Amino acid sequence: MSELRVWAVPGIPEVREGDDLAKLIAAAEPGLVDGDIVLVTSKIVSKAEGRLVRADDREAAIDAETVRVVARRGTLRIVENRQGLVMAAAGVDASNTPAGTVLLLPEDPDASAEAVRAGLRDALGVEVGVVVTDTFGRPWRNGLTDIAIGAAGVRVLEDLRGGTDAYGNPLSATVVATADELAGAGDLVKGKAGGLPVAVVRGLGEAVAAEQGGARELVRSARDDMFRLGTSEAVREAVTQRRTVRAFTDEAVDPGAVRRAVAAAVTAPAPHHTTPWRFVLLESAESRTRLLDAMRDAWVADLRRDGKSEESIAKRVRRGDVLRNAPYLVVPCLVMDGSHTYGDERRDAAEREMFVVATGAGVQNFLVALAGERLGSAWVSSTMFCRDVVRGVLGLPDDWDPMGAVAVGHPAVAPGERPARVVSEFVKVR
């Protein structure tokens, strides 16, 4: 490619529901040839497909098109919509539409692009690519641009990985969003208010191909999205999506992720400006096995003293294998450094309770932070029943009280839905 030509197509009339866009474009005599790429604004696609709906309340229309709220500031919402796009207001457009109506994005923009492409082939006998475009704001950048939300017959991504640059250096991460670049080029000649909803790019015939995956390939998967949520939403998501995970994969746990979670844990509130938390990280398989074997022996001894049968004991021990199956263990401990002694049983008991509550707050921070790192966890109380054993095996000071153990790892299965809980059932207002 040595030269590109981009121009807007004049003569496209006002589009109404049921109009054949390919015929309208062909009638405007755009002079298309094989290898051209036609850029079509999503607004006219939506109008032709009857996506103009009554909506006295635009917010309700946005709610109906929203799958997930990504970030919110005042009335502005960045959401994931039904098409999988993350954008402001779910793409619901109230501009240039009759009062009391809004325009929704096409239901399937890739299918819309394919319909226009096939129609132009039938009408003009040309093999072209088609890109459906929409206006888009971008994180970290001011200003709007057009992006591709639908495509047909266009290579939307150009993967340069495995090649080399001009200096012979290997390209290991370069994947070019060709369809988005085309959409931005078309916007320069269409304009936002020029009444020119269609543009043509010529000179990039190598990007036109019959079988392509469509613009959905441009949408980053949730697993690969490092910026999936806004700040407050990320916190809320981590809290509400945290689950007790009892089955883990063999994938190793990043020790750095656990330490970041500990850093979050020690920001919890505590009495008297103290720091009552300590976290023992069991990173070696040998340390985990040694601790769990000793705890198992202590548990079995307790059960025998309780008169349990050997069969019953074996079943209980098997049910306790969540810690043994985890690739990483953490033992949170309580220390009473800085606590007050009153010489009064009631007040001394309340003092310890304050420190226990603070430790629980720290562990909750820890669990939520692990969820933010995409790690599963299970907080199990078992170390509290054999604290002397745990201290002895791990070589901990006598004033460190183990407060359970946290199994950490990558979840083996997706967490199940949490049973619905009605907030009013947990609230008393006075």
Side-chain angles (χ1 to χ4, degrees):
M1 177 191 69
S2 59
E3 182 179 72
L4 281 181
R5 181 185 170 207
V6 186
W7 70 94
V9 178
I12 305 294
E14 178 68 23
V15 175
R16 304 186 187 281
E17 182 176 355
D19 283 348
D20 186 323
L21 287 182
K23 289 183 178 179
L24 293 181
I25 294 170
E29 299 182 356
L32 296 177
V33 299
D34 289 348
D36 284 347
I37 300 171
V38 179
L39 311 170
V40 184
T41 302
S42 65
K43 186 178 291 264
I44 66 169
V45 177
S46 293
K47 287 181 176 180
E49 294 180 355
R51 298 287 281 165
L52 188 72
V53 298
R54 298 294 308 179
D56 295 325
D57 182 359
R58 180 170 179 252
E59 294 303 309
I62 296 172
D63 288 341
E65 292 297 302
T66 295
V67 173
R68 177 177 60 89
V69 175
V70 175
R72 184 193 304 265
R73 181 171 295 174
T75 59
L76 175 63
R77 279 183 286 171
I78 307 298
V79 306
E80 179 183 345
N81 65 14
R82 295 177 183 276
Q83 291 81 4
L85 301 167
V86 175
M87 60 198 317
V92 174
D93 192 351
S95 63
N96 298 313
T97 63
T101 66
V102 295
L103 195 62
L104 310 180
L105 289 178
E107 288 192 72
D108 185 344
D110 286 334
S112 302
E114 180 56 44
V116 173
R117 177 170 173 260
L120 290 173
R121 183 193 305 115
D122 292 343
L124 300 175
V126 291
E127 287 293 343
V128 298
V130 174
V131 175
V132 176
T133 70
D134 196 68
T135 302
F136 201 77
R138 301 152 300 155
W140 312 293
R141 304 285 289 179
N142 288 322
L144 302 173
T145 187
D146 268 21
I147 65 160
I149 66 168
V154 175
R155 188 173 62 248
V156 298
L157 293 167
E158 184 177 4
D159 191 347
L160 301 179
R161 292 172 297 183
T164 57
D165 64 16
Y167 294 93
N169 299 311
L171 298 173
S172 59
T174 304
V175 181
V176 178
T178 304
D180 282 347
E181 293 184 328
L182 288 165
D187 188 44
L188 292 174
V189 296
K190 289 187 296 178
K192 297 298 183 190
L196 297 169
V198 177
V200 178
V201 173
R202 180 170 294 166
L204 200 64
E206 63 269 23
V208 176
E211 300 298 329
Q212 296 295 322
R216 184 164 288 276
E217 292 182 5
L218 293 161
V219 179
R220 195 184 300 275
S221 69
R223 179 178 177 84
D224 296 330
D225 189 353
M226 295 178 64
F227 310 101
R228 188 165 170 79
L229 296 170
T231 303
S232 61
E233 288 74 21
V235 173
R236 188 160 52 250
E237 176 88 354
V239 171
T240 59
Q241 295 303 311
R242 188 208 62 76
R243 297 287 192 278
T244 295
V245 175
R246 299 184 180 280
F248 303 95
T249 70
D250 293 332
E251 183 178 353
V253 171
D254 174 15
V258 178
R259 284 161 175 75
R260 289 191 292 272
V262 171
V266 299
T267 65
H272 315 315
H273 306 289
T274 58
T275 55
W277 321 276
R278 301 292 185 271
F279 291 85
V280 184
L281 312 182
L282 278 66
E283 295 184 340
S284 73
E286 187 275 333
S287 65
R288 294 192 297 272
T289 299
R290 188 159 47 89
L291 174 64
L292 295 175
D293 284 351
M295 288 173 58
R296 178 199 59 207
D297 294 344
W299 189 16
V300 168
D302 284 344
L303 292 171
R304 284 175 177 157
R305 278 193 295 270
D306 292 340
K308 303 296 183 184
S309 69
E310 293 302 314
E311 181 181 1
S312 173
I313 291 172
K315 287 181 179 179
R316 290 168 185 263
V317 170
R318 282 196 299 272
R319 286 201 300 269
D321 277 349
V322 60
L323 295 179
R324 198 172 291 274
N325 295 334
Y328 198 110
L329 291 183
V330 178
V331 178
C333 295
L334 161 68
V335 297
M336 296 290 289
D337 290 352
S339 63
H340 295 173
T341 300
Y342 300 96
D344 177 286
E345 184 177 341
R346 174 181 57 82
R347 296 167 72 192
D348 287 343
E351 181 79 0
R352 178 173 173 80
E353 285 181 0
M354 288 197 305
F355 277 72
V356 171
V357 168
T359 302
V363 175
Q364 170 69 354
N365 275 13
F366 180 66
L367 300 178
V368 169
L370 289 175
E373 297 278 355
R374 302 302 173 94
L375 290 169
S377 63
W379 187 14
V380 180
S381 62
S382 52
T383 67
M384 299 170 68
F385 291 87
C386 53
R387 284 178 169 142
D388 287 341
V389 170
V390 175
R391 281 191 288 258
V393 171
L394 298 181
L396 304 180
D398 291 342
D399 61 347
W400 285 31
D401 279 349
M403 302 296 284
V406 180
V408 182
H410 296 272
V413 296
E417 289 295 320
R418 189 191 301 277
R421 293 172 180 172
V422 180
V423 172
S424 60
E425 294 178 357
F426 302 90
V427 172
K428 290 289 185 185
V429 178
R430 296 290 188 263

